[in-house]
Structures are given as structure tokens and as C-alpha cells.
Amino acid sequence: MPTEVWGAELDSVFARVAGRFPRADLRWRMRGYLRGLLAPVARKNSRQLAAWAGHRDPAGIQHLMAGSRWDANALRDDVREYVGERLGPGGVLIIDDTAFAKKGLTSAGVGRQYTGMPGKIGNCQVGVFAAYATRWGRALVDRELYLPKAWTADRERCRAAKIPDEREFATKDELASTIVTRCLAAGLSAEWVTADEAYGQEWQFRRLLEELGVGYVVAVPKTQQVESQAGVWRINELIAQAPEDAWRRISCGNGMKGPRVYDWASAKLPAITPSDGDESAHHRWILARRNLIHPAEISYYFAYAPTSCTVADLARVAGMRWEIVECFQDARNECGLDDYEVRRYPGWYRHITLAMLAHAFLAVLAADKVAKEAAAPARPAAPSLSPRQRSADAWPLPGPTPVRLAAPKATR
């Protein structure tokens, strides 16, 4: 991309957020910090960013992170608005968490916790994030730091880390609910929400999305209970009864090697009265994705979608969930998302939000490039191998005597 285009867009970003920094010296430090996050610096901590910028020491950058007065949440709002404007309406809001490995016991929220990417327990901080994705691109738009009970139960420890007294314990799905509510209330034009099974299995989270009037496709475990007129079933037991011609071969999006094609099956669930009413504009669905090479590998989903939606629409939304994983990878590799050395609560939010702004800038540049190439012919989706027509995507739920299950245990 031409240097003048890159520079002009970055100047527009600086102009957009400059008002969040009340003093001129803070604005210049913010500009230097953001440029450093975008620069080819080996490790984007305060010391190396200061060296890259030609400063004698990292004191100025450390002051920006810890001692100065500016509102990271106001900057977050600017990031969300910027992404929404430039990536366009009608997108998907994606929820996920990611871990930041840390040593010691003093960093806000640190503790021995499950880290999803390595898949093990480690000493880390965990952040719950939202990304916004459209056909033009994707970027992170919101974040919250998860505080384990060991932290919120120890107010002296919280005060030492500058955690506000009003910040109480909240589960990750409660943080996700806060994020989704905030994004939609602010006018982010998301038509769908998607998330992995850690969030999808929480009925309060799904119910909130329905009350907010947004569609969702969320993963659930194979043991997820499904209520129908025939009783209570495990979702994998219901899917196992789907006839072979209920499966449709559909691409859920393009990957590095072309279309990501799976077999998909779905069924509509009965309305829940009286909350749904007689003329509900949405249906609830169960959905399954089957690996073509290893048919025993099946993923399961709950969905809430307009009555006009088809299984292909649901598959497309389900396939968007991986966009946030790519956001994490890009933000770590290109924008120093996990390179911070701050320990206190405000510093975490400040660094993470500035890294999100840097990532959003790169996402907008990439989206502009995609928009210019949009006239190129698109690759057609793989044809369905099922004889079922578009108007008959779902198969009727089975009606034999159901297997009654125990009440679900509390999760997360």
C-alpha cells in the first residue's frame, strides 16, 4: 500500500481520538505509542518502544500507561465506532476470551487459570473480547479483564492493583453479556452474535441475545440438553437421528486453502410460549457440522434466527467465529497485544485498547483493499449433495419417547 495512503489514514485516526487526551504532551505520547505498536519492534513493551522512538528512557511511555489522566473506555468507544463505520453494517459480533501468560502474583487478575490456546492451566490474565466482522474484514471492538474470585474477595489486593472498589466478581459469560449489550446499545450494526461452547451453553447469555433482538449461532457441547415437545434430549442424540438426506454440503467461508466445506444438518425447535407469542419473527434451531474426512467429528450449535433464514445462512454465521481467533493472532503478532509489562488494572485497559486501535487501523486498510478488489468474480460455493430443497432445510424433530436427563449443572 502506498505510504501516503497509510500516513493519511493514520493521521485521520489520530484526529479521531485526540480529544480523549486532554494535554498536548499526552497526545504526542499516544501518537508515538501507537506508531511504535505498528512498527517492526521486536517486543513492544515500554522500554523497547521508547528506544524505537528515540527517547532517553521509558518514563514518558510509562506515565502514559500509569500516571496520566485519560479514559480508556472513551477510547474504546472510538475504536468501536471507527470499526463499525469502516467495515460496514450487518456484521457479526464474535465473543471469545484469550489468555496472557504472566509471572508473579501482582498483575491485576493474574492467577492459575485455563488458557484456551495452549489448552492447559497456567499463570495468566484472561480477557474477554468482542470482534466485529463483515464481508470486508474484522477487528476487535471491546474488552473486559476477568477477575477471579481470589481477587474480588481480597479488596486490599484489588486496591493495590488499582482495581475500582465497585468492580465485583463476574463470570466470563456475564462479562460477555455486558460487552454485547454495550456494543448494541452504542449502535454497532451487528445482526448476529456467535461464540464458542463456553458461552453458548449458558442459557442466560442466549436469552439476553433474544431479548436484545439479535440473531445468534453459538456452539454447545454434545451433552447440551434440548427441550422439545417430545421431551428432553441430548443434542447429539437428536442429531444422530437425522436422516442422511438431511445433511447438506455447504461452505461456511473461505480459509487459507479455499472454501471450508462441511456437511450440515438442522432442525427447528418449537416455540416457547407465552414469551414467543403466536407470530414470532424468529425460530430457534439446533445445528450440526460434520467433518467430511472424519464423519465422527461433529460440532453442535444452538441458533436463533429470522424465520426466513436457511441452514446455509446459519452455517455462514457459525463459520465467522474463527475470525476472532485471527484477530487475536494478528493483534499479537502485529500490534503487541500481549507485549505489555503493566501490572495495574488501568494500565491493562490502556495498553489493550491502544493495541486494539492499532489493529483496527490495519483492519481498515485491509478492508479498503478488499473493497477495491470486490469486482473480481467470487468463487462459487460447493453444490449441495442433498436432494432437499432450500425451502426444506430442516428435518422434523423425532417424536419417540425421549430419554430424560438430569438437570444441568452450573457452568463457569
Side-chain angles (χ1 to χ4, degrees), residues 145-200:
L145 178 63
Y146 172 69
L147 298 178
K149 288 183 178 179
W151 273 86
T152 56
D154 188 343
R155 298 320 301 184
E156 288 303 316
R157 188 184 187 192
C158 286
R159 292 187 185 103
K162 300 297 183 182
I163 297 172
D165 287 341
E166 62 270 19
R167 178 68 195 270
E168 298 179 350
F169 175 74
T171 62
K172 292 171 189 172
D173 57 284
E174 288 172 339
L175 295 177
S177 296
T178 297
I179 288 173
V180 172
T181 302
R182 183 163 58 214
C183 287
L184 297 179
L188 186 66
S189 182
E191 294 181 353
W192 297 90
V193 172
T194 188
D196 67 14
E197 65 182 45
Y199 300 93

Tab-separated table of all heavy atoms in Angstrom, residues 145-200:
chain	number	residue	atom	x	y	z
A	145	LEU	N	-11.376	-7.300	31.440
A	145	LEU	CA	-10.453	-8.160	32.168
A	145	LEU	C	-11.234	-9.018	33.152
A	145	LEU	O	-12.014	-8.505	33.961
A	145	LEU	CB	-9.420	-7.317	32.911
A	145	LEU	CG	-8.394	-8.078	33.756
A	145	LEU	CD1	-7.518	-8.966	32.885
A	145	LEU	CD2	-7.537	-7.098	34.551
A	146	TYR	N	-11.033	-10.337	33.078
A	146	TYR	CA	-11.679	-11.255	34.008
A	146	TYR	C	-10.920	-11.263	35.331
A	146	TYR	O	-9.687	-11.384	35.351
A	146	TYR	CB	-11.701	-12.661	33.419
A	146	TYR	CG	-12.172	-13.729	34.384
A	146	TYR	CD1	-13.503	-13.766	34.803
A	146	TYR	CD2	-11.290	-14.687	34.871
A	146	TYR	CE1	-13.938	-14.740	35.688
A	146	TYR	CE2	-11.716	-15.664	35.753
A	146	TYR	CZ	-13.048	-15.692	36.162
A	146	TYR	OH	-13.462	-16.660	37.036
A	147	LEU	N	-11.654	-11.102	36.437
A	147	LEU	CA	-11.063	-11.118	37.773
A	147	LEU	C	-11.570	-12.347	38.517
A	147	LEU	O	-12.764	-12.439	38.830
A	147	LEU	CB	-11.442	-9.858	38.552
A	147	LEU	CG	-10.970	-8.526	37.970
A	147	LEU	CD1	-11.470	-7.370	38.831
A	147	LEU	CD2	-9.453	-8.484	37.854
A	148	PRO	N	-10.707	-13.316	38.818
A	148	PRO	CA	-11.138	-14.488	39.582
A	148	PRO	C	-11.626	-14.104	40.980
A	148	PRO	O	-11.323	-13.022	41.498
A	148	PRO	CB	-9.862	-15.341	39.659
A	148	PRO	CG	-8.994	-14.850	38.529
A	148	PRO	CD	-9.300	-13.391	38.402
A	149	LYS	N	-12.356	-15.006	41.618
A	149	LYS	CA	-12.884	-14.739	42.957
A	149	LYS	C	-11.773	-14.503	43.968
A	149	LYS	O	-11.964	-13.770	44.940
A	149	LYS	CB	-13.765	-15.902	43.406
A	149	LYS	CG	-15.102	-15.973	42.677
A	149	LYS	CD	-15.956	-17.105	43.223
A	149	LYS	CE	-17.311	-17.139	42.527
A	149	LYS	NZ	-18.158	-18.259	43.027
A	150	ALA	N	-10.613	-15.133	43.731
A	150	ALA	CA	-9.492	-14.917	44.651
A	150	ALA	C	-9.079	-13.456	44.677
A	150	ALA	O	-8.502	-12.985	45.669
A	150	ALA	CB	-8.307	-15.792	44.236
A	151	TRP	N	-9.369	-12.737	43.614
A	151	TRP	CA	-9.070	-11.308	43.573
A	151	TRP	C	-10.213	-10.486	44.169
A	151	TRP	O	-9.991	-9.645	45.043
A	151	TRP	CB	-8.802	-10.876	42.124
A	151	TRP	CG	-7.383	-11.056	41.719
A	151	TRP	CD1	-6.795	-12.181	41.216
A	151	TRP	CD2	-6.358	-10.070	41.810
A	151	TRP	NE1	-5.461	-11.962	40.979
A	151	TRP	CE2	-5.166	-10.670	41.334
A	151	TRP	CE3	-6.310	-8.745	42.229
A	151	TRP	CZ2	-3.951	-9.989	41.267
A	151	TRP	CZ3	-5.106	-8.062	42.176
A	151	TRP	CH2	-3.936	-8.683	41.699
A	152	THR	N	-11.413	-10.688	43.693
A	152	THR	CA	-12.513	-9.823	44.139
A	152	THR	C	-12.845	-10.025	45.613
A	152	THR	O	-13.454	-9.147	46.230
A	152	THR	CB	-13.766	-10.079	43.283
A	152	THR	OG1	-14.108	-11.474	43.332
A	152	THR	CG2	-13.517	-9.667	41.838
A	153	ALA	N	-12.456	-11.181	46.193
A	153	ALA	CA	-12.685	-11.411	47.621
A	153	ALA	C	-11.625	-10.745	48.489
A	153	ALA	O	-11.780	-10.683	49.712
A	153	ALA	CB	-12.720	-12.918	47.904
A	154	ASP	N	-10.574	-10.241	47.885
A	154	ASP	CA	-9.473	-9.609	48.627
A	154	ASP	C	-9.391	-8.141	48.206
A	154	ASP	O	-8.655	-7.775	47.281
A	154	ASP	CB	-8.170	-10.346	48.327
A	154	ASP	CG	-7.005	-9.877	49.195
A	154	ASP	OD1	-7.114	-8.785	49.796
A	154	ASP	OD2	-5.984	-10.587	49.252
A	155	ARG	N	-10.130	-7.271	48.894
A	155	ARG	CA	-10.220	-5.878	48.472
A	155	ARG	C	-8.903	-5.138	48.631
A	155	ARG	O	-8.603	-4.211	47.864
A	155	ARG	CB	-11.319	-5.152	49.237
A	155	ARG	CG	-12.725	-5.693	49.043
A	155	ARG	CD	-13.071	-6.119	47.631
A	155	ARG	NE	-12.946	-5.052	46.641
A	155	ARG	CZ	-13.261	-5.180	45.366
A	155	ARG	NH1	-13.687	-6.355	44.901
A	155	ARG	NH2	-13.115	-4.184	44.524
A	156	GLU	N	-8.086	-5.510	49.604
A	156	GLU	CA	-6.788	-4.858	49.747
A	156	GLU	C	-5.893	-5.171	48.551
A	156	GLU	O	-5.184	-4.290	48.043
A	156	GLU	CB	-6.117	-5.303	51.049
A	156	GLU	CG	-6.758	-4.734	52.303
A	156	GLU	CD	-6.781	-3.203	52.281
A	156	GLU	OE1	-5.758	-2.591	51.899
A	156	GLU	OE2	-7.823	-2.620	52.641
A	157	ARG	N	-5.927	-6.398	48.110
A	157	ARG	CA	-5.157	-6.782	46.925
A	157	ARG	C	-5.670	-6.021	45.702
A	157	ARG	O	-4.883	-5.567	44.867
A	157	ARG	CB	-5.284	-8.287	46.702
A	157	ARG	CG	-4.366	-8.848	45.616
A	157	ARG	CD	-4.631	-10.326	45.417
A	157	ARG	NE	-3.670	-10.919	44.502
A	157	ARG	CZ	-3.806	-12.130	43.972
A	157	ARG	NH1	-4.884	-12.880	44.260
A	157	ARG	NH2	-2.896	-12.615	43.141
A	158	CYS	N	-6.983	-5.863	45.610
A	158	CYS	CA	-7.564	-5.116	44.491
A	158	CYS	C	-7.116	-3.651	44.517
A	158	CYS	O	-6.759	-3.081	43.483
A	158	CYS	CB	-9.086	-5.200	44.529
A	158	CYS	SG	-9.761	-6.800	44.034
A	159	ARG	N	-7.138	-3.052	45.693
A	159	ARG	CA	-6.747	-1.643	45.780
A	159	ARG	C	-5.281	-1.453	45.415
A	159	ARG	O	-4.912	-0.463	44.788
A	159	ARG	CB	-7.025	-1.116	47.186
A	159	ARG	CG	-8.512	-1.028	47.511
A	159	ARG	CD	-8.781	-0.343	48.839
A	159	ARG	NE	-10.201	-0.392	49.143
A	159	ARG	CZ	-10.745	-1.239	50.024
A	159	ARG	NH1	-9.965	-2.084	50.693
A	159	ARG	NH2	-12.041	-1.232	50.244
A	160	ALA	N	-4.438	-2.415	45.784
A	160	ALA	CA	-3.022	-2.323	45.421
A	160	ALA	C	-2.825	-2.364	43.918
A	160	ALA	O	-1.881	-1.762	43.386
A	160	ALA	CB	-2.238	-3.452	46.089
A	161	ALA	N	-3.720	-3.058	43.218
A	161	ALA	CA	-3.639	-3.151	41.758
A	161	ALA	C	-4.504	-2.100	41.074
A	161	ALA	O	-4.677	-2.143	39.849
A	161	ALA	CB	-4.069	-4.545	41.294
A	162	LYS	N	-5.042	-1.139	41.855
A	162	LYS	CA	-5.879	-0.046	41.335
A	162	LYS	C	-7.172	-0.546	40.698
A	162	LYS	O	-7.696	0.061	39.750
A	162	LYS	CB	-5.093	0.804	40.325
A	162	LYS	CG	-3.840	1.458	40.890
A	162	LYS	CD	-4.165	2.438	41.989
A	162	LYS	CE	-2.907	3.148	42.503
A	162	LYS	NZ	-3.208	4.082	43.601
A	163	ILE	N	-7.693	-1.662	41.205
A	163	ILE	CA	-8.996	-2.157	40.747
A	163	ILE	C	-10.077	-1.395	41.501
A	163	ILE	O	-10.047	-1.331	42.732
A	163	ILE	CB	-9.121	-3.673	41.003
A	163	ILE	CG1	-8.064	-4.422	40.184
A	163	ILE	CG2	-10.517	-4.173	40.652
A	163	ILE	CD1	-7.971	-5.897	40.521
A	164	PRO	N	-11.033	-0.793	40.817
A	164	PRO	CA	-12.051	0.018	41.493
A	164	PRO	C	-12.836	-0.796	42.527
A	164	PRO	O	-13.095	-1.993	42.339
A	164	PRO	CB	-12.966	0.470	40.345
A	164	PRO	CG	-12.127	0.365	39.119
A	164	PRO	CD	-11.208	-0.783	39.346
A	165	ASP	N	-13.239	-0.172	43.601
A	165	ASP	CA	-13.987	-0.856	44.647
A	165	ASP	C	-15.311	-1.406	44.134
A	165	ASP	O	-15.807	-2.419	44.644
A	165	ASP	CB	-14.248	0.100	45.822
A	165	ASP	CG	-12.990	0.379	46.629
A	165	ASP	OD1	-12.027	-0.408	46.531
A	165	ASP	OD2	-12.968	1.401	47.360
A	166	GLU	N	-15.891	-0.740	43.132
A	166	GLU	CA	-17.190	-1.195	42.633
A	166	GLU	C	-17.084	-2.404	41.713
A	166	GLU	O	-18.100	-3.006	41.336
A	166	GLU	CB	-17.907	-0.056	41.899
A	166	GLU	CG	-17.187	0.473	40.675
A	166	GLU	CD	-16.242	1.618	41.001
A	166	GLU	OE1	-15.864	1.773	42.186
A	166	GLU	OE2	-15.896	2.353	40.055
A	167	ARG	N	-15.868	-2.770	41.316
A	167	ARG	CA	-15.705	-3.928	40.437
A	167	ARG	C	-15.819	-5.212	41.261
A	167	ARG	O	-14.957	-5.518	42.075
A	167	ARG	CB	-14.366	-3.862	39.705
A	167	ARG	CG	-14.071	-5.055	38.800
A	167	ARG	CD	-14.994	-5.102	37.596
A	167	ARG	NE	-14.927	-6.409	36.956
A	167	ARG	CZ	-14.068	-6.735	35.976
A	167	ARG	NH1	-13.197	-5.814	35.546
A	167	ARG	NH2	-14.081	-7.929	35.438
A	168	GLU	N	-16.883	-5.950	41.043
A	168	GLU	CA	-17.143	-7.184	41.761
A	168	GLU	C	-16.909	-8.383	40.842
A	168	GLU	O	-16.645	-8.233	39.642
A	168	GLU	CB	-18.570	-7.189	42.306
A	168	GLU	CG	-18.853	-6.063	43.304
A	168	GLU	CD	-20.267	-6.078	43.817
A	168	GLU	OE1	-21.095	-6.851	43.255
A	168	GLU	OE2	-20.560	-5.332	44.772
A	169	PHE	N	-17.028	-9.578	41.416
A	169	PHE	CA	-16.820	-10.773	40.613
A	169	PHE	C	-17.896	-10.887	39.539
A	169	PHE	O	-19.081	-10.641	39.787
A	169	PHE	CB	-16.847	-12.031	41.486
A	169	PHE	CG	-16.757	-13.298	40.684
A	169	PHE	CD1	-15.553	-13.686	40.104
A	169	PHE	CD2	-17.883	-14.078	40.474
A	169	PHE	CE1	-15.473	-14.847	39.339
A	169	PHE	CE2	-17.815	-15.238	39.717
A	169	PHE	CZ	-16.597	-15.625	39.144
A	170	ALA	N	-17.476	-11.236	38.344
A	170	ALA	CA	-18.391	-11.510	37.236
A	170	ALA	C	-17.827	-12.674	36.438
A	170	ALA	O	-16.628	-12.720	36.160
A	170	ALA	CB	-18.553	-10.283	36.338
A	171	THR	N	-18.684	-13.625	36.092
A	171	THR	CA	-18.244	-14.742	35.265
A	171	THR	C	-17.915	-14.238	33.864
A	171	THR	O	-18.295	-13.125	33.477
A	171	THR	CB	-19.338	-15.816	35.172
A	171	THR	OG1	-20.493	-15.245	34.540
A	171	THR	CG2	-19.707	-16.341	36.549
A	172	LYS	N	-17.251	-15.067	33.099
A	172	LYS	CA	-16.888	-14.654	31.742
A	172	LYS	C	-18.126	-14.442	30.871
A	172	LYS	O	-18.155	-13.521	30.042
A	172	LYS	CB	-15.955	-15.687	31.120
A	172	LYS	CG	-14.592	-15.736	31.788
A	172	LYS	CD	-13.777	-16.911	31.311
A	172	LYS	CE	-12.506	-17.060	32.148
A	172	LYS	NZ	-11.778	-18.308	31.849
A	173	ASP	N	-19.145	-15.278	31.053
A	173	ASP	CA	-20.346	-15.054	30.248
A	173	ASP	C	-21.092	-13.797	30.683
A	173	ASP	O	-21.750	-13.141	29.860
A	173	ASP	CB	-21.262	-16.275	30.269
A	173	ASP	CG	-21.682	-16.684	31.664
A	173	ASP	OD1	-20.861	-17.273	32.372
A	173	ASP	OD2	-22.839	-16.405	32.043
A	174	GLU	N	-20.980	-13.419	31.968
A	174	GLU	CA	-21.559	-12.139	32.399
A	174	GLU	C	-20.791	-10.968	31.792
A	174	GLU	O	-21.403	-9.963	31.390
A	174	GLU	CB	-21.556	-12.063	33.924
A	174	GLU	CG	-22.585	-12.975	34.569
A	174	GLU	CD	-22.466	-13.048	36.077
A	174	GLU	OE1	-21.374	-12.728	36.609
A	174	GLU	OE2	-23.453	-13.428	36.742
A	175	LEU	N	-19.478	-11.080	31.712
A	175	LEU	CA	-18.697	-10.042	31.029
A	175	LEU	C	-19.068	-9.978	29.552
A	175	LEU	O	-19.184	-8.884	28.982
A	175	LEU	CB	-17.204	-10.322	31.194
A	175	LEU	CG	-16.638	-10.245	32.616
A	175	LEU	CD1	-15.157	-10.615	32.616
A	175	LEU	CD2	-16.830	-8.854	33.210
A	176	ALA	N	-19.261	-11.148	28.935
A	176	ALA	CA	-19.671	-11.176	27.529
A	176	ALA	C	-21.024	-10.507	27.348
A	176	ALA	O	-21.243	-9.764	26.380
A	176	ALA	CB	-19.714	-12.620	27.031
A	177	SER	N	-21.950	-10.746	28.272
A	177	SER	CA	-23.267	-10.113	28.190
A	177	SER	C	-23.154	-8.599	28.286
A	177	SER	O	-23.829	-7.860	27.558
A	177	SER	CB	-24.169	-10.647	29.308
A	177	SER	OG	-24.405	-12.036	29.152
A	178	THR	N	-22.285	-8.127	29.180
A	178	THR	CA	-22.056	-6.681	29.304
A	178	THR	C	-21.517	-6.106	28.005
A	178	THR	O	-21.956	-5.039	27.542
A	178	THR	CB	-21.074	-6.412	30.455
A	178	THR	OG1	-21.650	-6.850	31.688
A	178	THR	CG2	-20.736	-4.932	30.552
A	179	ILE	N	-20.568	-6.806	27.402
A	179	ILE	CA	-19.952	-6.330	26.165
A	179	ILE	C	-20.976	-6.263	25.037
A	179	ILE	O	-21.069	-5.267	24.314
A	179	ILE	CB	-18.768	-7.234	25.793
A	179	ILE	CG1	-17.597	-6.991	26.735
A	179	ILE	CG2	-18.343	-7.013	24.342
A	179	ILE	CD1	-16.447	-7.965	26.556
A	180	VAL	N	-21.749	-7.339	24.858
A	180	VAL	CA	-22.742	-7.363	23.780
A	180	VAL	C	-23.770	-6.262	23.969
A	180	VAL	O	-24.114	-5.530	23.024
A	180	VAL	CB	-23.430	-8.737	23.710
A	180	VAL	CG1	-24.598	-8.696	22.730
A	180	VAL	CG2	-22.441	-9.814	23.284
A	181	THR	N	-24.267	-6.126	25.191
A	181	THR	CA	-25.267	-5.084	25.468
A	181	THR	C	-24.703	-3.706	25.163
A	181	THR	O	-25.386	-2.858	24.553
A	181	THR	CB	-25.712	-5.163	26.938
A	181	THR	OG1	-26.253	-6.464	27.203
A	181	THR	CG2	-26.756	-4.116	27.241
A	182	ARG	N	-23.467	-3.471	25.549
A	182	ARG	CA	-22.835	-2.173	25.321
A	182	ARG	C	-22.669	-1.898	23.831
A	182	ARG	O	-22.943	-0.789	23.356
A	182	ARG	CB	-21.490	-2.141	26.040
A	182	ARG	CG	-20.752	-0.824	25.944
A	182	ARG	CD	-19.673	-0.758	27.011
A	182	ARG	NE	-18.708	-1.848	26.934
A	182	ARG	CZ	-18.132	-2.402	28.000
A	182	ARG	NH1	-18.433	-2.010	29.213
A	182	ARG	NH2	-17.241	-3.363	27.847
A	183	CYS	N	-22.200	-2.878	23.088
A	183	CYS	CA	-21.979	-2.679	21.653
A	183	CYS	C	-23.279	-2.379	20.912
A	183	CYS	O	-23.336	-1.460	20.085
A	183	CYS	CB	-21.321	-3.922	21.052
A	183	CYS	SG	-19.582	-4.149	21.478
A	184	LEU	N	-24.321	-3.133	21.213
A	184	LEU	CA	-25.596	-2.922	20.523
A	184	LEU	C	-26.243	-1.606	20.950
A	184	LEU	O	-26.821	-0.896	20.118
A	184	LEU	CB	-26.528	-4.100	20.774
A	184	LEU	CG	-26.056	-5.455	20.234
A	184	LEU	CD1	-27.066	-6.540	20.571
A	184	LEU	CD2	-25.826	-5.388	18.719
A	185	ALA	N	-26.137	-1.273	22.236
A	185	ALA	CA	-26.713	-0.014	22.712
A	185	ALA	C	-26.020	1.184	22.084
A	185	ALA	O	-26.641	2.239	21.878
A	185	ALA	CB	-26.624	0.062	24.234
A	186	ALA	N	-24.740	1.020	21.753
A	186	ALA	CA	-23.983	2.121	21.145
A	186	ALA	C	-24.248	2.247	19.649
A	186	ALA	O	-23.720	3.161	19.013
A	186	ALA	CB	-22.490	1.919	21.393
A	187	GLY	N	-25.021	1.327	19.089
A	187	GLY	CA	-25.380	1.438	17.681
A	187	GLY	C	-24.533	0.625	16.730
A	187	GLY	O	-24.642	0.805	15.507
A	188	LEU	N	-23.685	-0.274	17.229
A	188	LEU	CA	-22.930	-1.135	16.330
A	188	LEU	C	-23.904	-2.002	15.545
A	188	LEU	O	-24.736	-2.699	16.129
A	188	LEU	CB	-21.955	-2.015	17.114
A	188	LEU	CG	-20.998	-2.862	16.277
A	188	LEU	CD1	-20.028	-1.987	15.500
A	188	LEU	CD2	-20.235	-3.845	17.171
A	189	SER	N	-23.798	-1.982	14.230
A	189	SER	CA	-24.800	-2.610	13.377
A	189	SER	C	-24.523	-4.094	13.190
A	189	SER	O	-24.241	-4.567	12.094
A	189	SER	CB	-24.837	-1.908	12.015
A	189	SER	OG	-25.827	-2.472	11.184
A	190	ALA	N	-24.617	-4.855	14.292
A	190	ALA	CA	-24.425	-6.299	14.238
A	190	ALA	C	-25.783	-6.982	14.141
A	190	ALA	O	-26.685	-6.706	14.939
A	190	ALA	CB	-23.678	-6.779	15.475
A	191	GLU	N	-25.933	-7.863	13.179
A	191	GLU	CA	-27.173	-8.611	13.016
A	191	GLU	C	-27.105	-9.975	13.693
A	191	GLU	O	-28.148	-10.612	13.901
A	191	GLU	CB	-27.483	-8.798	11.528
A	191	GLU	CG	-27.781	-7.488	10.808
A	191	GLU	CD	-28.120	-7.685	9.344
A	191	GLU	OE1	-27.995	-8.839	8.847
A	191	GLU	OE2	-28.516	-6.710	8.683
A	192	TRP	N	-25.894	-10.424	14.015
A	192	TRP	CA	-25.695	-11.743	14.589
A	192	TRP	C	-24.654	-11.681	15.696
A	192	TRP	O	-23.789	-10.812	15.707
A	192	TRP	CB	-25.190	-12.725	13.532
A	192	TRP	CG	-26.107	-12.988	12.387
A	192	TRP	CD1	-26.159	-12.288	11.202
A	192	TRP	CD2	-27.099	-14.004	12.293
A	192	TRP	NE1	-27.122	-12.826	10.389
A	192	TRP	CE2	-27.718	-13.883	11.026
A	192	TRP	CE3	-27.514	-15.020	13.161
A	192	TRP	CZ2	-28.725	-14.742	10.612
A	192	TRP	CZ3	-28.530	-15.872	12.746
A	192	TRP	CH2	-29.121	-15.728	11.487
A	193	VAL	N	-24.717	-12.674	16.591
A	193	VAL	CA	-23.681	-12.922	17.586
A	193	VAL	C	-23.295	-14.390	17.481
A	193	VAL	O	-24.163	-15.257	17.302
A	193	VAL	CB	-24.166	-12.608	19.016
A	193	VAL	CG1	-23.140	-13.053	20.048
A	193	VAL	CG2	-24.450	-11.112	19.161
A	194	THR	N	-22.005	-14.672	17.585
A	194	THR	CA	-21.554	-16.055	17.632
A	194	THR	C	-20.476	-16.183	18.700
A	194	THR	O	-19.804	-15.209	19.049
A	194	THR	CB	-21.032	-16.528	16.253
A	194	THR	OG1	-20.774	-17.937	16.307
A	194	THR	CG2	-19.765	-15.808	15.855
A	195	ALA	N	-20.342	-17.406	19.249
A	195	ALA	CA	-19.391	-17.653	20.329
A	195	ALA	C	-19.160	-19.153	20.433
A	195	ALA	O	-19.931	-19.959	19.880
A	195	ALA	CB	-19.922	-17.109	21.652
A	196	ASP	N	-18.109	-19.545	21.160
A	196	ASP	CA	-17.842	-20.965	21.335
A	196	ASP	C	-18.734	-21.527	22.440
A	196	ASP	O	-19.554	-20.824	23.041
A	196	ASP	CB	-16.353	-21.220	21.591
A	196	ASP	CG	-15.862	-20.667	22.929
A	196	ASP	OD1	-16.704	-20.318	23.796
A	196	ASP	OD2	-14.636	-20.578	23.113
A	197	GLU	N	-18.555	-22.835	22.743
A	197	GLU	CA	-19.484	-23.507	23.644
A	197	GLU	C	-19.383	-23.021	25.086
A	197	GLU	O	-20.339	-23.175	25.855
A	197	GLU	CB	-19.282	-25.014	23.580
A	197	GLU	CG	-17.944	-25.518	24.069
A	197	GLU	CD	-17.844	-27.035	23.921
A	197	GLU	OE1	-18.212	-27.572	22.864
A	197	GLU	OE2	-17.387	-27.680	24.882
A	198	ALA	N	-18.248	-22.432	25.468
A	198	ALA	CA	-18.140	-21.898	26.823
A	198	ALA	C	-19.206	-20.847	27.079
A	198	ALA	O	-19.703	-20.701	28.205
A	198	ALA	CB	-16.752	-21.318	27.054
A	199	TYR	N	-19.566	-20.088	26.066
A	199	TYR	CA	-20.608	-19.069	26.172
A	199	TYR	C	-21.951	-19.596	25.674
A	199	TYR	O	-22.999	-19.273	26.242
A	199	TYR	CB	-20.199	-17.818	25.388
A	199	TYR	CG	-18.918	-17.224	25.903
A	199	TYR	CD1	-17.688	-17.580	25.354
A	199	TYR	CD2	-18.918	-16.346	26.977
A	199	TYR	CE1	-16.500	-17.069	25.850
A	199	TYR	CE2	-17.739	-15.826	27.489
A	199	TYR	CZ	-16.526	-16.195	26.920
A	199	TYR	OH	-15.357	-15.699	27.422
A	200	GLY	N	-21.934	-20.408	24.624
A	200	GLY	CA	-23.186	-20.892	24.038
A	200	GLY	C	-24.002	-21.759	24.970
A	200	GLY	O	-25.240	-21.793	24.873
